[in-house]
Amino acid sequence: MRKLIILKSLIDFIWILTCIPAALLLCFYTVYMFIEPESLKMVLGAEDDLFETSIIGVQLFVLVGIALGFVTFYCVYLFRKTLRYFQKVKPFHIDVIYNFYKIGYLLTGIGITASIWLFLARLFFKSELKLKLGLSPYLILICLGLFFMILSEVFKVAKHAKEENELTV
């Protein structure tokens, strides 16, 4: 039980000090980058020729990155919500199973979308065809997402077995 308390405290710490301020900053920056396109240079640290070609394209690519950030914050929120059920000693609640599946689905989507997004960004903005086949954070996100989906299925089977066991007693 101590490990659960430590995990919940760490996730709450991350949520309060990272996710909430970052979400507010991303909301502000989403509007500000369309008002003042020069702010993209500061954030991306790119060359001037990149912005002369297609400022709208750069803004759309940054917008996709911001959307991926918000989906990541939502995954952290769902994980916090799931940990509350564990603290209430309700690990087989239907919301736990649903949250695990949703987290897995979203993390897998983030990993796939981000890897495609990075590939296209390099292709369009730097004109280089570069494909990494090694270990990357996006591959780890895909694996983590699949793990959460499998965890959802395991909890679903365990819930069904628990219900059958309660009926036979």
Side-chain angles (χ1 to χ4, degrees), residues 1 55 58 64 66 80 103 138 155:
M1 196 63 163
I55 193 71
V58 174
V64 169
I66 289 172
R80 284 184 69 230
I103 291 169
Y138 311 114
F155 271 72

Side-chain angles (χ1 to χ4, degrees), residues 65-84:
I66 289 172
L68 289 175
F70 280 120
V71 173
T72 305
F73 298 153
Y74 182 63
C75 288
V76 173
Y77 169 76
L78 287 176
F79 191 57
R80 284 184 69 230
K81 196 169 150 183
T82 303
L83 289 176
R84 278 190 225 128

